[in-house]
Amino acid sequence: MKNVNRVFFCKSLSLVFLVPSFTRSHLRFTYSAAGASSPNRAIHCMASDSPQSGDGSVSSPPNVAAVPTSSSSSSASSAIDFLSLCTRLKTTPRAGWIKRNVKDPESIADHMYRMGLMALISSDIPGVNRDKCMKMAIVHDIAEAIVGDITPSCGISKEEKNRRESEALEHMCKLLGGGERAKEIAELWREYEENSSPEAKVVKDFDKVELILQALEYEQEQGKDLEEFFQSTAGKFQTDIGKAWASEIVSRRRKQH
């Protein structure tokens, strides 16, 4: 894998994320603050050679499982590298809640998981592939594993945000080893960003529905006033299911006030 080191800044979080570094023998996942003196190095370790028989052919010891081929070992290595990078989605809190002093705010992965559940439980919609919606829901914010949760309050333009996330996605797909799965992730992400399919429109609505549902829950649990999140999404739902679910959430909120 080509050694690539990229640093991304988000003013609101005051964090710098570095892509993970790998040691010779095992995966070591590191992130360091700006100004770190030692550059990250990506070093891949090849699988051990398989034992050979007297005629030079590869064989396995009796009653011992065959040593993985270099191809399967490489595939496993790429998968674990990719998944280890994605752990940042589990540990990075959503920036909007931090700015509103919400206690123990949800992570990016928390947000995407419930969106996946929304797609799972949604009724069938003519012309919409529900399975594709589930995949898109768990992919749409995946680039934030590297760039973090960039919000409008970060002072970063939409164009710059898209550039950073596109570059991060490209790195992640290369880390995964390319191939069909990486291609699928990239296509789902771009389709969502471009709002270019019926599935993208549904998932865009789920993104907003999940936001206001979480806002309602924080209001109930912590006594917050998070009206701005309801205002920012009002009138922006594109689908019947998005409008219906948002209306139900808003109705429940009115009843508690």
Side-chain angles (χ1 to χ4, degrees):
M1 182 187 75
K2 184 178 179 181
N3 182 19
V4 180
N5 294 317
R6 295 192 172 95
V7 181
F8 301 88
F9 296 87
C10 176
K11 288 170 61 180
S12 67
L13 294 178
S14 300
L15 295 177
V16 177
F17 301 113
L18 297 183
V19 298
S21 62
F22 307 95
T23 63
R24 294 179 186 274
S25 59
H26 63 284
L27 179 68
R28 180 173 297 166
F29 198 73
T30 60
Y31 289 89
S32 33
S37 59
S38 300
N40 283 359
R41 298 181 181 276
I43 303 173
H44 282 279
C45 182
M46 298 300 292
S48 300
D49 291 338
S50 299
Q52 293 185 339
S53 62
D55 61 2
S57 62
V58 176
S59 62
S60 299
N63 302 319
V64 177
V67 176
T69 64
S70 59
S71 176
S72 63
S73 178
S74 175
S75 176
S77 176
S78 295
I80 299 305
D81 288 352
F82 174 83
L83 293 171
S84 293
L85 176 55
C86 286
T87 196
R88 187 48 86 161
L89 298 169
K90 296 169 61 178
T91 59
T92 302
R94 298 251 283 163
W97 306 130
I98 293 176
K99 285 188 168 296
R100 278 72 187 179
N101 298 315
V102 169
K103 297 177 182 178
D104 300 320
E106 65 171 346
S107 70
I108 297 166
D110 293 331
H111 168 66
M112 294 197 294
Y113 174 73
R114 187 153 64 173
M115 284 177 61
L117 287 180
M118 289 176 175
L120 178 63
I121 69 170
S122 64
S123 57
D124 291 332
I125 303 172
V128 174
N129 184 321
R130 194 166 56 90
D131 289 343
K132 185 177 179 181
C133 287
M134 284 188 278
K135 291 180 181 181
M136 191 176 288
I138 63 173
V139 162
H140 81 288
D141 279 342
I142 199 168
E144 294 181 13
I146 292 178
V147 304
D149 184 16
I150 301 174
T151 68
S153 60
C154 288
I156 296 172
S157 68
K158 289 184 178 180
E159 293 75 17
E160 175 62 13
K161 176 179 182 291
N162 183 263
R163 185 195 69 76
R164 294 186 186 188
E165 290 182 346
S166 295
E167 189 172 276
L169 181 74
E170 180 182 356
H171 170 76
M172 295 180 77
C173 288
K174 287 180 179 178
L175 187 65
L176 189 55
E180 289 302 313
R181 291 295 173 264
K183 181 180 178 182
E184 181 180 25
I185 288 172
E187 288 177 350
L188 287 166
W189 184 85
R190 292 192 180 95
E191 198 171 297
Y192 175 85
E193 285 295 307
E194 295 167 3
N195 197 27
S196 60
S197 68
E199 291 82 8
K201 289 176 172 55
V202 169
V203 178
K204 285 275 188 181
D205 276 6
F206 285 163
D207 184 54
K208 297 180 183 68
V209 168
E210 207 289 320
L211 174 68
I212 61 173
L213 178 56
Q214 186 63 74
L216 175 61
E217 290 165 349
Y218 284 147
E219 286 186 334
Q220 294 170 334
E221 296 165 5
Q222 302 184 27
K224 299 284 185 182
D225 180 1
L226 300 172
E227 170 67 19
E228 62 188 286
F229 293 97
F230 294 90
Q231 290 293 336
S232 67
T233 56
K236 295 183 179 179
F237 295 93
Q238 308 173 80
T239 66
D240 288 342
I241 190 171
K243 293 172 184 176
W245 287 12
S247 177
E248 175 64 20
I249 294 168
V250 171
S251 175
R252 293 188 182 198
R253 183 171 184 257
R254 286 181 182 142
K255 290 177 181 178
Q256 77 176 22
H257 286 302

